[in-house]
Structures are given as C-alpha cells and as structure tokens.
Amino acid sequence: MPTSSKQKMGSEAINLQLLERTIGHAFGDTGLVTLALSHRSVGKVNNERLEFLGDSLLNLYIADALFRQFPQASEGDLSRLRAHLVRGETLAQIAQEMQLGDYLLLGGGELKSGGFRRKSILADTVEALIGAIYLDSDIDHCRTRVLDWYRSRLDDLSLNQVEKDPKTRLQEYLQERGQSLPDYQVVNESGQSHAREYEVRCRLPGITDVFTASASSKRKAEKLAAADALRFLGVLDDE
C-alpha cells in the first residue's frame, strides 16, 4: 500500500512508481504529477489549472467514445450519458478505485478534516491528472489512458440505464404543456472557499409554492430543488 497523504510524495519514488502503474502512465516531468495531486489548500501552486484542462479533455474523450459506441442515439441521449460518466460521483469512484486519496497533497486543515476522502477533491484530482498526462504526452495517448479507466463503465453502458436528471425532466414537463421554464436563483452561499454550500430556490410559472434545496454546488442544488418540484407535480415519487 502507498504511504499516507500526510507524507510528501516528492521524496517517495516508490509511491510515484506505484501510482504510475495504477494510472498507466510514466511521467517524464514528475513536476506535473506532483502539481496534479496538489489541492488548493496547499497554496497558490495547485492543481486548479490542470483540473480546468482535464475537464475539457474528459468531455471530449467521452463524447467521442459515446458518439462512436451509440450511432443511433439522439443528441439528448448522448448528452445524458456523457453527464452520467463525467459527473463528480463517477470521477470520485474512479479515484477511489485508483486509491488517489493516498497520494493527495493537502493543507493542514483539509488533512485534519479528511480531505483525502472528500469526493469533490477526489473528482477534481482525476481531472487534474488527465490534464497532467496530456501535457506530459499527447492527446491520443491521454485519450487511451482515460478510456482505459472508463472501459468497464463504457462496456456496461446502455441507452436505457441512465435516467434524465430532475432539471431536464422538469424542463421537458413544462415545455410539453407550453409553460415557461423554471426560474432558479441562488438565495444564499455559506461555508469556506473549499467547502461552499449553495441554497437555490426554484419557482414554477403559475405556482405560488417555492422549492428550495442546498448542496455543495449550484448545479446539485438546482437538481434537488427540481426534484422537489417534480414531487409536488406528482411526476416523481417520494423516496
């Protein structure tokens, strides 16, 4: 097993070798992998720019793979499948499978609060690693690595298994009835920069009830609020 994230990986070559075997890429520039594993809590030199790059590449690779795998799928189906594969929950699962939490470089506060287990941090690290691999190699090699991480998920994927998210279902429900789209507003933000909480309010045309939900991102809060609206409309069953 690799050593704990409490130790700096730079001086632990055996850990780097184990990580490289796990992800399927040997870095020519080891500074890139160290940067990819550096959460913003460590300081200004962190993985956020690599995360930005990796997110764009991931969407490209998965979109291309789905386009080829499902030649009869509609644009909406492809978008829904891609959203399922690139969402934070899926990325965090991939990170856990690769035991990335053992390699994370975290600031003291995140380390004490268990940041190496936090799904959002793990998901961001996967995206940062994609960006690092791309910069260390080329777009085709990076694509091969990413699709290898996703191979079992792509092989098991079907058009019927991924349901539309609540926001999409609510939008389609209203459009089918010739009504205006729902209005989402962020009514409150709280928490520290690395652990923000967003409260979102959803209003529907012609309905006085307001549907409010909170989550760690605006998108998640909007989906939760939309789910409440769908339950109110009788479209979604109570869990």
PDB file of all heavy atoms in Angstrom, residues 139-176:
ATOM      1  N   ILE A 139      -2.406  14.139 -27.088  1.00  0.00           N
ATOM      2  CA  ILE A 139      -3.851  13.991 -26.934  1.00  0.00           C
ATOM      3  C   ILE A 139      -4.307  12.548 -27.149  1.00  0.00           C
ATOM      4  O   ILE A 139      -5.242  12.080 -26.496  1.00  0.00           O
ATOM      5  CB  ILE A 139      -4.597  14.954 -27.888  1.00  0.00           C
ATOM      6  CG1 ILE A 139      -6.076  15.048 -27.504  1.00  0.00           C
ATOM      7  CG2 ILE A 139      -4.406  14.537 -29.349  1.00  0.00           C
ATOM      8  CD1 ILE A 139      -6.804  16.188 -28.176  1.00  0.00           C
ATOM      9  N   ASP A 140      -3.628  11.808 -28.041  1.00  0.00           N
ATOM     10  CA  ASP A 140      -4.048  10.433 -28.303  1.00  0.00           C
ATOM     11  C   ASP A 140      -3.657   9.491 -27.173  1.00  0.00           C
ATOM     12  O   ASP A 140      -4.443   8.618 -26.786  1.00  0.00           O
ATOM     13  CB  ASP A 140      -3.456   9.950 -29.628  1.00  0.00           C
ATOM     14  CG  ASP A 140      -4.056  10.661 -30.825  1.00  0.00           C
ATOM     15  OD1 ASP A 140      -5.262  10.971 -30.774  1.00  0.00           O
ATOM     16  OD2 ASP A 140      -3.332  10.923 -31.798  1.00  0.00           O
ATOM     17  N   HIS A 141      -2.450   9.633 -26.651  1.00  0.00           N
ATOM     18  CA  HIS A 141      -2.042   8.806 -25.513  1.00  0.00           C
ATOM     19  C   HIS A 141      -2.935   9.085 -24.317  1.00  0.00           C
ATOM     20  O   HIS A 141      -3.364   8.162 -23.615  1.00  0.00           O
ATOM     21  CB  HIS A 141      -0.581   9.083 -25.144  1.00  0.00           C
ATOM     22  CG  HIS A 141      -0.156   8.421 -23.873  1.00  0.00           C
ATOM     23  ND1 HIS A 141       0.190   7.081 -23.803  1.00  0.00           N
ATOM     24  CD2 HIS A 141      -0.039   8.901 -22.604  1.00  0.00           C
ATOM     25  CE1 HIS A 141       0.501   6.775 -22.548  1.00  0.00           C
ATOM     26  NE2 HIS A 141       0.373   7.858 -21.808  1.00  0.00           N
ATOM     27  N   CYS A 142      -3.223  10.360 -24.085  1.00  0.00           N
ATOM     28  CA  CYS A 142      -4.084  10.729 -22.961  1.00  0.00           C
ATOM     29  C   CYS A 142      -5.471  10.121 -23.133  1.00  0.00           C
ATOM     30  O   CYS A 142      -6.060   9.601 -22.183  1.00  0.00           O
ATOM     31  CB  CYS A 142      -4.163  12.252 -22.863  1.00  0.00           C
ATOM     32  SG  CYS A 142      -5.066  12.853 -21.417  1.00  0.00           S
ATOM     33  N   ARG A 143      -5.997  10.158 -24.355  1.00  0.00           N
ATOM     34  CA  ARG A 143      -7.299   9.570 -24.634  1.00  0.00           C
ATOM     35  C   ARG A 143      -7.295   8.072 -24.296  1.00  0.00           C
ATOM     36  O   ARG A 143      -8.229   7.565 -23.671  1.00  0.00           O
ATOM     37  CB  ARG A 143      -7.655   9.751 -26.109  1.00  0.00           C
ATOM     38  CG  ARG A 143      -9.025   9.183 -26.505  1.00  0.00           C
ATOM     39  CD  ARG A 143      -9.108   8.989 -28.014  1.00  0.00           C
ATOM     40  NE  ARG A 143      -8.703  10.181 -28.733  1.00  0.00           N
ATOM     41  CZ  ARG A 143      -9.534  11.152 -29.105  1.00  0.00           C
ATOM     42  NH1 ARG A 143     -10.823  11.051 -28.842  1.00  0.00           N
ATOM     43  NH2 ARG A 143      -9.082  12.202 -29.754  1.00  0.00           N
ATOM     44  N   THR A 144      -6.230   7.385 -24.695  1.00  0.00           N
ATOM     45  CA  THR A 144      -6.124   5.953 -24.424  1.00  0.00           C
ATOM     46  C   THR A 144      -6.148   5.669 -22.927  1.00  0.00           C
ATOM     47  O   THR A 144      -6.815   4.731 -22.464  1.00  0.00           O
ATOM     48  CB  THR A 144      -4.832   5.382 -25.034  1.00  0.00           C
ATOM     49  OG1 THR A 144      -4.858   5.584 -26.450  1.00  0.00           O
ATOM     50  CG2 THR A 144      -4.695   3.893 -24.748  1.00  0.00           C
ATOM     51  N   ARG A 145      -5.418   6.467 -22.170  1.00  0.00           N
ATOM     52  CA  ARG A 145      -5.381   6.270 -20.717  1.00  0.00           C
ATOM     53  C   ARG A 145      -6.764   6.482 -20.113  1.00  0.00           C
ATOM     54  O   ARG A 145      -7.244   5.695 -19.301  1.00  0.00           O
ATOM     55  CB  ARG A 145      -4.385   7.245 -20.075  1.00  0.00           C
ATOM     56  CG  ARG A 145      -2.941   7.029 -20.386  1.00  0.00           C
ATOM     57  CD  ARG A 145      -2.388   5.700 -19.848  1.00  0.00           C
ATOM     58  NE  ARG A 145      -2.523   4.624 -20.805  1.00  0.00           N
ATOM     59  CZ  ARG A 145      -3.172   3.491 -20.576  1.00  0.00           C
ATOM     60  NH1 ARG A 145      -3.759   3.268 -19.413  1.00  0.00           N
ATOM     61  NH2 ARG A 145      -3.250   2.576 -21.497  1.00  0.00           N
ATOM     62  N   VAL A 146      -7.420   7.571 -20.489  1.00  0.00           N
ATOM     63  CA  VAL A 146      -8.725   7.899 -19.904  1.00  0.00           C
ATOM     64  C   VAL A 146      -9.758   6.839 -20.252  1.00  0.00           C
ATOM     65  O   VAL A 146     -10.513   6.375 -19.381  1.00  0.00           O
ATOM     66  CB  VAL A 146      -9.194   9.287 -20.380  1.00  0.00           C
ATOM     67  CG1 VAL A 146     -10.638   9.539 -19.959  1.00  0.00           C
ATOM     68  CG2 VAL A 146      -8.283  10.377 -19.817  1.00  0.00           C
ATOM     69  N   LEU A 147      -9.794   6.424 -21.503  1.00  0.00           N
ATOM     70  CA  LEU A 147     -10.776   5.415 -21.912  1.00  0.00           C
ATOM     71  C   LEU A 147     -10.484   4.071 -21.259  1.00  0.00           C
ATOM     72  O   LEU A 147     -11.407   3.274 -21.030  1.00  0.00           O
ATOM     73  CB  LEU A 147     -10.813   5.294 -23.433  1.00  0.00           C
ATOM     74  CG  LEU A 147     -11.311   6.527 -24.189  1.00  0.00           C
ATOM     75  CD1 LEU A 147     -11.410   6.244 -25.683  1.00  0.00           C
ATOM     76  CD2 LEU A 147     -12.652   7.009 -23.647  1.00  0.00           C
ATOM     77  N   ASP A 148      -9.231   3.805 -20.950  1.00  0.00           N
ATOM     78  CA  ASP A 148      -8.906   2.591 -20.216  1.00  0.00           C
ATOM     79  C   ASP A 148      -9.488   2.649 -18.802  1.00  0.00           C
ATOM     80  O   ASP A 148     -10.003   1.651 -18.303  1.00  0.00           O
ATOM     81  CB  ASP A 148      -7.388   2.397 -20.149  1.00  0.00           C
ATOM     82  CG  ASP A 148      -7.002   1.090 -19.499  1.00  0.00           C
ATOM     83  OD1 ASP A 148      -7.444   0.036 -19.980  1.00  0.00           O
ATOM     84  OD2 ASP A 148      -6.266   1.116 -18.490  1.00  0.00           O
ATOM     85  N   TRP A 149      -9.410   3.824 -18.159  1.00  0.00           N
ATOM     86  CA  TRP A 149     -10.022   3.980 -16.828  1.00  0.00           C
ATOM     87  C   TRP A 149     -11.529   3.758 -16.902  1.00  0.00           C
ATOM     88  O   TRP A 149     -12.138   3.262 -15.955  1.00  0.00           O
ATOM     89  CB  TRP A 149      -9.763   5.375 -16.277  1.00  0.00           C
ATOM     90  CG  TRP A 149      -8.332   5.768 -16.140  1.00  0.00           C
ATOM     91  CD1 TRP A 149      -7.234   4.951 -16.227  1.00  0.00           C
ATOM     92  CD2 TRP A 149      -7.824   7.081 -15.908  1.00  0.00           C
ATOM     93  NE1 TRP A 149      -6.089   5.673 -16.064  1.00  0.00           N
ATOM     94  CE2 TRP A 149      -6.399   6.977 -15.869  1.00  0.00           C
ATOM     95  CE3 TRP A 149      -8.403   8.327 -15.745  1.00  0.00           C
ATOM     96  CZ2 TRP A 149      -5.589   8.093 -15.655  1.00  0.00           C
ATOM     97  CZ3 TRP A 149      -7.602   9.429 -15.530  1.00  0.00           C
ATOM     98  CH2 TRP A 149      -6.200   9.309 -15.480  1.00  0.00           C
ATOM     99  N   TYR A 150     -12.127   4.137 -18.011  1.00  0.00           N
ATOM    100  CA  TYR A 150     -13.581   4.085 -18.179  1.00  0.00           C
ATOM    101  C   TYR A 150     -14.062   2.805 -18.866  1.00  0.00           C
ATOM    102  O   TYR A 150     -15.262   2.654 -19.073  1.00  0.00           O
ATOM    103  CB  TYR A 150     -14.042   5.283 -19.013  1.00  0.00           C
ATOM    104  CG  TYR A 150     -14.362   6.516 -18.210  1.00  0.00           C
ATOM    105  CD1 TYR A 150     -13.401   7.491 -17.986  1.00  0.00           C
ATOM    106  CD2 TYR A 150     -15.640   6.716 -17.682  1.00  0.00           C
ATOM    107  CE1 TYR A 150     -13.693   8.632 -17.252  1.00  0.00           C
ATOM    108  CE2 TYR A 150     -15.946   7.852 -16.957  1.00  0.00           C
ATOM    109  CZ  TYR A 150     -14.966   8.805 -16.744  1.00  0.00           C
ATOM    110  OH  TYR A 150     -15.265   9.932 -16.025  1.00  0.00           O
ATOM    111  N   ARG A 151     -13.144   1.903 -19.232  1.00  0.00           N
ATOM    112  CA  ARG A 151     -13.509   0.792 -20.100  1.00  0.00           C
ATOM    113  C   ARG A 151     -14.699  -0.011 -19.582  1.00  0.00           C
ATOM    114  O   ARG A 151     -15.656  -0.287 -20.316  1.00  0.00           O
ATOM    115  CB  ARG A 151     -12.294  -0.127 -20.305  1.00  0.00           C
ATOM    116  CG  ARG A 151     -12.534  -1.319 -21.229  1.00  0.00           C
ATOM    117  CD  ARG A 151     -13.154  -0.893 -22.547  1.00  0.00           C
ATOM    118  NE  ARG A 151     -12.400   0.196 -23.172  1.00  0.00           N
ATOM    119  CZ  ARG A 151     -12.926   1.040 -24.040  1.00  0.00           C
ATOM    120  NH1 ARG A 151     -14.225   0.961 -24.365  1.00  0.00           N
ATOM    121  NH2 ARG A 151     -12.188   1.987 -24.584  1.00  0.00           N
ATOM    122  N   SER A 152     -14.661  -0.431 -18.329  1.00  0.00           N
ATOM    123  CA  SER A 152     -15.753  -1.261 -17.804  1.00  0.00           C
ATOM    124  C   SER A 152     -17.066  -0.497 -17.787  1.00  0.00           C
ATOM    125  O   SER A 152     -18.133  -1.057 -18.046  1.00  0.00           O
ATOM    126  CB  SER A 152     -15.419  -1.767 -16.400  1.00  0.00           C
ATOM    127  OG  SER A 152     -15.267  -0.685 -15.491  1.00  0.00           O
ATOM    128  N   ARG A 153     -17.011   0.793 -17.502  1.00  0.00           N
ATOM    129  CA  ARG A 153     -18.223   1.604 -17.468  1.00  0.00           C
ATOM    130  C   ARG A 153     -18.804   1.780 -18.867  1.00  0.00           C
ATOM    131  O   ARG A 153     -20.019   1.748 -19.059  1.00  0.00           O
ATOM    132  CB  ARG A 153     -17.939   2.962 -16.819  1.00  0.00           C
ATOM    133  CG  ARG A 153     -17.688   2.869 -15.318  1.00  0.00           C
ATOM    134  CD  ARG A 153     -17.228   4.196 -14.723  1.00  0.00           C
ATOM    135  NE  ARG A 153     -17.232   4.145 -13.273  1.00  0.00           N
ATOM    136  CZ  ARG A 153     -16.252   3.611 -12.553  1.00  0.00           C
ATOM    137  NH1 ARG A 153     -15.188   3.103 -13.163  1.00  0.00           N
ATOM    138  NH2 ARG A 153     -16.319   3.589 -11.230  1.00  0.00           N
ATOM    139  N   LEU A 154     -17.945   1.985 -19.845  1.00  0.00           N
ATOM    140  CA  LEU A 154     -18.415   2.124 -21.223  1.00  0.00           C
ATOM    141  C   LEU A 154     -18.979   0.802 -21.734  1.00  0.00           C
ATOM    142  O   LEU A 154     -20.001   0.778 -22.429  1.00  0.00           O
ATOM    143  CB  LEU A 154     -17.267   2.592 -22.121  1.00  0.00           C
ATOM    144  CG  LEU A 154     -16.859   4.066 -21.964  1.00  0.00           C
ATOM    145  CD1 LEU A 154     -15.533   4.324 -22.678  1.00  0.00           C
ATOM    146  CD2 LEU A 154     -17.936   4.995 -22.504  1.00  0.00           C
ATOM    147  N   ASP A 155     -18.314  -0.306 -21.388  1.00  0.00           N
ATOM    148  CA  ASP A 155     -18.784  -1.617 -21.838  1.00  0.00           C
ATOM    149  C   ASP A 155     -20.157  -1.952 -21.257  1.00  0.00           C
ATOM    150  O   ASP A 155     -20.963  -2.634 -21.900  1.00  0.00           O
ATOM    151  CB  ASP A 155     -17.783  -2.708 -21.438  1.00  0.00           C
ATOM    152  CG  ASP A 155     -16.499  -2.636 -22.251  1.00  0.00           C
ATOM    153  OD1 ASP A 155     -16.496  -1.961 -23.301  1.00  0.00           O
ATOM    154  OD2 ASP A 155     -15.488  -3.232 -21.825  1.00  0.00           O
ATOM    155  N   ASP A 156     -20.408  -1.509 -20.035  1.00  0.00           N
ATOM    156  CA  ASP A 156     -21.668  -1.833 -19.352  1.00  0.00           C
ATOM    157  C   ASP A 156     -22.777  -0.836 -19.644  1.00  0.00           C
ATOM    158  O   ASP A 156     -23.913  -1.010 -19.184  1.00  0.00           O
ATOM    159  CB  ASP A 156     -21.449  -1.907 -17.839  1.00  0.00           C
ATOM    160  CG  ASP A 156     -20.533  -3.054 -17.441  1.00  0.00           C
ATOM    161  OD1 ASP A 156     -20.395  -3.993 -18.245  1.00  0.00           O
ATOM    162  OD2 ASP A 156     -19.950  -2.993 -16.342  1.00  0.00           O
ATOM    163  N   LEU A 157     -22.470   0.216 -20.386  1.00  0.00           N
ATOM    164  CA  LEU A 157     -23.416   1.310 -20.585  1.00  0.00           C
ATOM    165  C   LEU A 157     -24.495   0.945 -21.600  1.00  0.00           C
ATOM    166  O   LEU A 157     -24.237   0.284 -22.598  1.00  0.00           O
ATOM    167  CB  LEU A 157     -22.659   2.547 -21.069  1.00  0.00           C
ATOM    168  CG  LEU A 157     -23.316   3.916 -20.874  1.00  0.00           C
ATOM    169  CD1 LEU A 157     -23.549   4.201 -19.399  1.00  0.00           C
ATOM    170  CD2 LEU A 157     -22.429   4.998 -21.482  1.00  0.00           C
ATOM    171  N   SER A 158     -25.712   1.387 -21.325  1.00  0.00           N
ATOM    172  CA  SER A 158     -26.808   1.241 -22.278  1.00  0.00           C
ATOM    173  C   SER A 158     -27.625   2.519 -22.297  1.00  0.00           C
ATOM    174  O   SER A 158     -27.594   3.306 -21.350  1.00  0.00           O
ATOM    175  CB  SER A 158     -27.710   0.059 -21.900  1.00  0.00           C
ATOM    176  OG  SER A 158     -28.461   0.350 -20.740  1.00  0.00           O
ATOM    177  N   LEU A 159     -28.366   2.711 -23.365  1.00  0.00           N
ATOM    178  CA  LEU A 159     -29.160   3.931 -23.503  1.00  0.00           C
ATOM    179  C   LEU A 159     -30.285   4.004 -22.482  1.00  0.00           C
ATOM    180  O   LEU A 159     -30.779   5.082 -22.169  1.00  0.00           O
ATOM    181  CB  LEU A 159     -29.761   4.017 -24.916  1.00  0.00           C
ATOM    182  CG  LEU A 159     -28.784   4.315 -26.046  1.00  0.00           C
ATOM    183  CD1 LEU A 159     -29.494   4.246 -27.381  1.00  0.00           C
ATOM    184  CD2 LEU A 159     -28.144   5.683 -25.853  1.00  0.00           C
ATOM    185  N   ASN A 160     -30.706   2.877 -21.966  1.00  0.00           N
ATOM    186  CA  ASN A 160     -31.866   2.848 -21.073  1.00  0.00           C
ATOM    187  C   ASN A 160     -31.517   2.982 -19.598  1.00  0.00           C
ATOM    188  O   ASN A 160     -32.403   3.209 -18.780  1.00  0.00           O
ATOM    189  CB  ASN A 160     -32.636   1.540 -21.275  1.00  0.00           C
ATOM    190  CG  ASN A 160     -33.179   1.407 -22.683  1.00  0.00           C
ATOM    191  OD1 ASN A 160     -33.590   2.394 -23.279  1.00  0.00           O
ATOM    192  ND2 ASN A 160     -33.158   0.200 -23.218  1.00  0.00           N
ATOM    193  N   GLN A 161     -30.230   2.837 -19.254  1.00  0.00           N
ATOM    194  CA  GLN A 161     -29.916   2.744 -17.838  1.00  0.00           C
ATOM    195  C   GLN A 161     -29.775   4.095 -17.136  1.00  0.00           C
ATOM    196  O   GLN A 161     -29.841   4.176 -15.919  1.00  0.00           O
ATOM    197  CB  GLN A 161     -28.635   1.944 -17.626  1.00  0.00           C
ATOM    198  CG  GLN A 161     -27.351   2.688 -17.963  1.00  0.00           C
ATOM    199  CD  GLN A 161     -26.131   1.859 -17.702  1.00  0.00           C
ATOM    200  OE1 GLN A 161     -25.783   0.978 -18.475  1.00  0.00           O
ATOM    201  NE2 GLN A 161     -25.482   2.107 -16.593  1.00  0.00           N
ATOM    202  N   VAL A 162     -29.560   5.148 -17.902  1.00  0.00           N
ATOM    203  CA  VAL A 162     -29.330   6.462 -17.291  1.00  0.00           C
ATOM    204  C   VAL A 162     -30.569   7.326 -17.449  1.00  0.00           C
ATOM    205  O   VAL A 162     -30.936   7.707 -18.564  1.00  0.00           O
ATOM    206  CB  VAL A 162     -28.118   7.164 -17.924  1.00  0.00           C
ATOM    207  CG1 VAL A 162     -27.882   8.507 -17.243  1.00  0.00           C
ATOM    208  CG2 VAL A 162     -26.881   6.291 -17.813  1.00  0.00           C
ATOM    209  N   GLU A 163     -31.236   7.600 -16.368  1.00  0.00           N
ATOM    210  CA  GLU A 163     -32.434   8.429 -16.418  1.00  0.00           C
ATOM    211  C   GLU A 163     -32.077   9.910 -16.550  1.00  0.00           C
ATOM    212  O   GLU A 163     -30.987  10.334 -16.173  1.00  0.00           O
ATOM    213  CB  GLU A 163     -33.264   8.228 -15.146  1.00  0.00           C
ATOM    214  CG  GLU A 163     -33.855   6.830 -15.012  1.00  0.00           C
ATOM    215  CD  GLU A 163     -34.756   6.736 -13.806  1.00  0.00           C
ATOM    216  OE1 GLU A 163     -34.864   7.738 -13.071  1.00  0.00           O
ATOM    217  OE2 GLU A 163     -35.344   5.667 -13.611  1.00  0.00           O
ATOM    218  N   LYS A 164     -33.008  10.649 -17.068  1.00  0.00           N
ATOM    219  CA  LYS A 164     -32.818  12.090 -17.165  1.00  0.00           C
ATOM    220  C   LYS A 164     -32.773  12.691 -15.772  1.00  0.00           C
ATOM    221  O   LYS A 164     -33.499  12.270 -14.877  1.00  0.00           O
ATOM    222  CB  LYS A 164     -33.958  12.722 -17.970  1.00  0.00           C
ATOM    223  CG  LYS A 164     -34.024  12.245 -19.414  1.00  0.00           C
ATOM    224  CD  LYS A 164     -35.211  12.848 -20.142  1.00  0.00           C
ATOM    225  CE  LYS A 164     -35.287  12.333 -21.569  1.00  0.00           C
ATOM    226  NZ  LYS A 164     -36.452  12.876 -22.302  1.00  0.00           N
ATOM    227  N   ASP A 165     -31.913  13.680 -15.589  1.00  0.00           N
ATOM    228  CA  ASP A 165     -31.818  14.320 -14.287  1.00  0.00           C
ATOM    229  C   ASP A 165     -33.066  15.171 -14.030  1.00  0.00           C
ATOM    230  O   ASP A 165     -33.798  15.519 -14.972  1.00  0.00           O
ATOM    231  CB  ASP A 165     -30.547  15.168 -14.188  1.00  0.00           C
ATOM    232  CG  ASP A 165     -30.573  16.369 -15.118  1.00  0.00           C
ATOM    233  OD1 ASP A 165     -31.258  17.350 -14.782  1.00  0.00           O
ATOM    234  OD2 ASP A 165     -29.924  16.321 -16.167  1.00  0.00           O
ATOM    235  N   PRO A 166     -33.333  15.501 -12.770  1.00  0.00           N
ATOM    236  CA  PRO A 166     -34.568  16.223 -12.420  1.00  0.00           C
ATOM    237  C   PRO A 166     -34.746  17.555 -13.159  1.00  0.00           C
ATOM    238  O   PRO A 166     -35.871  17.902 -13.535  1.00  0.00           O
ATOM    239  CB  PRO A 166     -34.433  16.437 -10.914  1.00  0.00           C
ATOM    240  CG  PRO A 166     -33.560  15.316 -10.455  1.00  0.00           C
ATOM    241  CD  PRO A 166     -32.581  15.092 -11.562  1.00  0.00           C
ATOM    242  N   LYS A 167     -33.650  18.297 -13.379  1.00  0.00           N
ATOM    243  CA  LYS A 167     -33.770  19.573 -14.087  1.00  0.00           C
ATOM    244  C   LYS A 167     -34.275  19.360 -15.509  1.00  0.00           C
ATOM    245  O   LYS A 167     -35.146  20.099 -15.990  1.00  0.00           O
ATOM    246  CB  LYS A 167     -32.417  20.295 -14.122  1.00  0.00           C
ATOM    247  CG  LYS A 167     -32.061  21.050 -12.856  1.00  0.00           C
ATOM    248  CD  LYS A 167     -30.853  21.932 -13.073  1.00  0.00           C
ATOM    249  CE  LYS A 167     -31.136  23.060 -14.038  1.00  0.00           C
ATOM    250  NZ  LYS A 167     -29.972  23.958 -14.221  1.00  0.00           N
ATOM    251  N   THR A 168     -33.735  18.357 -16.182  1.00  0.00           N
ATOM    252  CA  THR A 168     -34.168  18.058 -17.547  1.00  0.00           C
ATOM    253  C   THR A 168     -35.616  17.604 -17.570  1.00  0.00           C
ATOM    254  O   THR A 168     -36.407  18.030 -18.422  1.00  0.00           O
ATOM    255  CB  THR A 168     -33.268  16.976 -18.161  1.00  0.00           C
ATOM    256  OG1 THR A 168     -31.906  17.425 -18.167  1.00  0.00           O
ATOM    257  CG2 THR A 168     -33.691  16.659 -19.588  1.00  0.00           C
ATOM    258  N   ARG A 169     -35.973  16.739 -16.641  1.00  0.00           N
ATOM    259  CA  ARG A 169     -37.352  16.236 -16.592  1.00  0.00           C
ATOM    260  C   ARG A 169     -38.343  17.357 -16.318  1.00  0.00           C
ATOM    261  O   ARG A 169     -39.421  17.415 -16.928  1.00  0.00           O
ATOM    262  CB  ARG A 169     -37.464  15.150 -15.522  1.00  0.00           C
ATOM    263  CG  ARG A 169     -36.704  13.876 -15.851  1.00  0.00           C
ATOM    264  CD  ARG A 169     -36.842  12.848 -14.765  1.00  0.00           C
ATOM    265  NE  ARG A 169     -38.218  12.374 -14.611  1.00  0.00           N
ATOM    266  CZ  ARG A 169     -38.602  11.476 -13.722  1.00  0.00           C
ATOM    267  NH1 ARG A 169     -37.714  10.945 -12.889  1.00  0.00           N
ATOM    268  NH2 ARG A 169     -39.860  11.085 -13.644  1.00  0.00           N
ATOM    269  N   LEU A 170     -37.984  18.263 -15.413  1.00  0.00           N
ATOM    270  CA  LEU A 170     -38.869  19.377 -15.094  1.00  0.00           C
ATOM    271  C   LEU A 170     -39.024  20.300 -16.298  1.00  0.00           C
ATOM    272  O   LEU A 170     -40.134  20.746 -16.624  1.00  0.00           O
ATOM    273  CB  LEU A 170     -38.334  20.153 -13.890  1.00  0.00           C
ATOM    274  CG  LEU A 170     -39.155  21.358 -13.437  1.00  0.00           C
ATOM    275  CD1 LEU A 170     -40.579  20.950 -13.061  1.00  0.00           C
ATOM    276  CD2 LEU A 170     -38.471  22.059 -12.260  1.00  0.00           C
ATOM    277  N   GLN A 171     -37.927  20.593 -16.971  1.00  0.00           N
ATOM    278  CA  GLN A 171     -37.971  21.457 -18.152  1.00  0.00           C
ATOM    279  C   GLN A 171     -38.858  20.851 -19.230  1.00  0.00           C
ATOM    280  O   GLN A 171     -39.699  21.541 -19.831  1.00  0.00           O
ATOM    281  CB  GLN A 171     -36.554  21.675 -18.684  1.00  0.00           C
ATOM    282  CG  GLN A 171     -36.503  22.495 -19.963  1.00  0.00           C
ATOM    283  CD  GLN A 171     -35.080  22.762 -20.412  1.00  0.00           C
ATOM    284  OE1 GLN A 171     -34.208  23.049 -19.605  1.00  0.00           O
ATOM    285  NE2 GLN A 171     -34.834  22.663 -21.712  1.00  0.00           N
ATOM    286  N   GLU A 172     -38.681  19.551 -19.499  1.00  0.00           N
ATOM    287  CA  GLU A 172     -39.474  18.894 -20.531  1.00  0.00           C
ATOM    288  C   GLU A 172     -40.952  18.837 -20.149  1.00  0.00           C
ATOM    289  O   GLU A 172     -41.831  18.997 -21.008  1.00  0.00           O
ATOM    290  CB  GLU A 172     -38.932  17.487 -20.780  1.00  0.00           C
ATOM    291  CG  GLU A 172     -37.555  17.489 -21.437  1.00  0.00           C
ATOM    292  CD  GLU A 172     -37.036  16.097 -21.710  1.00  0.00           C
ATOM    293  OE1 GLU A 172     -37.677  15.110 -21.252  1.00  0.00           O
ATOM    294  OE2 GLU A 172     -35.993  15.964 -22.373  1.00  0.00           O
ATOM    295  N   TYR A 173     -41.228  18.624 -18.860  1.00  0.00           N
ATOM    296  CA  TYR A 173     -42.615  18.591 -18.372  1.00  0.00           C
ATOM    297  C   TYR A 173     -43.303  19.924 -18.663  1.00  0.00           C
ATOM    298  O   TYR A 173     -44.443  19.961 -19.152  1.00  0.00           O
ATOM    299  CB  TYR A 173     -42.619  18.297 -16.877  1.00  0.00           C
ATOM    300  CG  TYR A 173     -43.980  18.325 -16.228  1.00  0.00           C
ATOM    301  CD1 TYR A 173     -44.770  17.183 -16.153  1.00  0.00           C
ATOM    302  CD2 TYR A 173     -44.485  19.505 -15.669  1.00  0.00           C
ATOM    303  CE1 TYR A 173     -46.020  17.209 -15.563  1.00  0.00           C
ATOM    304  CE2 TYR A 173     -45.731  19.550 -15.082  1.00  0.00           C
ATOM    305  CZ  TYR A 173     -46.500  18.393 -15.017  1.00  0.00           C
ATOM    306  OH  TYR A 173     -47.739  18.430 -14.435  1.00  0.00           O
ATOM    307  N   LEU A 174     -42.628  21.022 -18.373  1.00  0.00           N
ATOM    308  CA  LEU A 174     -43.227  22.344 -18.577  1.00  0.00           C
ATOM    309  C   LEU A 174     -43.343  22.675 -20.072  1.00  0.00           C
ATOM    310  O   LEU A 174     -44.340  23.253 -20.518  1.00  0.00           O
ATOM    311  CB  LEU A 174     -42.388  23.404 -17.858  1.00  0.00           C
ATOM    312  CG  LEU A 174     -42.356  23.290 -16.329  1.00  0.00           C
ATOM    313  CD1 LEU A 174     -41.362  24.286 -15.735  1.00  0.00           C
ATOM    314  CD2 LEU A 174     -43.741  23.513 -15.737  1.00  0.00           C
ATOM    315  N   GLN A 175     -42.305  22.317 -20.852  1.00  0.00           N
ATOM    316  CA  GLN A 175     -42.336  22.608 -22.286  1.00  0.00           C
ATOM    317  C   GLN A 175     -43.466  21.853 -22.990  1.00  0.00           C
ATOM    318  O   GLN A 175     -44.110  22.386 -23.889  1.00  0.00           O
ATOM    319  CB  GLN A 175     -40.991  22.254 -22.913  1.00  0.00           C
ATOM    320  CG  GLN A 175     -39.880  23.222 -22.555  1.00  0.00           C
ATOM    321  CD  GLN A 175     -38.539  22.811 -23.150  1.00  0.00           C
ATOM    322  OE1 GLN A 175     -38.234  21.626 -23.270  1.00  0.00           O
ATOM    323  NE2 GLN A 175     -37.727  23.789 -23.516  1.00  0.00           N
ATOM    324  N   GLU A 176     -43.693  20.612 -22.575  1.00  0.00           N
ATOM    325  CA  GLU A 176     -44.768  19.817 -23.173  1.00  0.00           C
ATOM    326  C   GLU A 176     -46.123  20.454 -22.951  1.00  0.00           C
ATOM    327  O   GLU A 176     -47.066  20.222 -23.716  1.00  0.00           O
ATOM    328  CB  GLU A 176     -44.753  18.406 -22.585  1.00  0.00           C
ATOM    329  CG  GLU A 176     -43.588  17.551 -23.066  1.00  0.00           C
ATOM    330  CD  GLU A 176     -43.489  16.246 -22.302  1.00  0.00           C
ATOM    331  OE1 GLU A 176     -44.325  16.025 -21.378  1.00  0.00           O
ATOM    332  OE2 GLU A 176     -42.583  15.441 -22.597  1.00  0.00           O
TER     333      GLU A 176
END
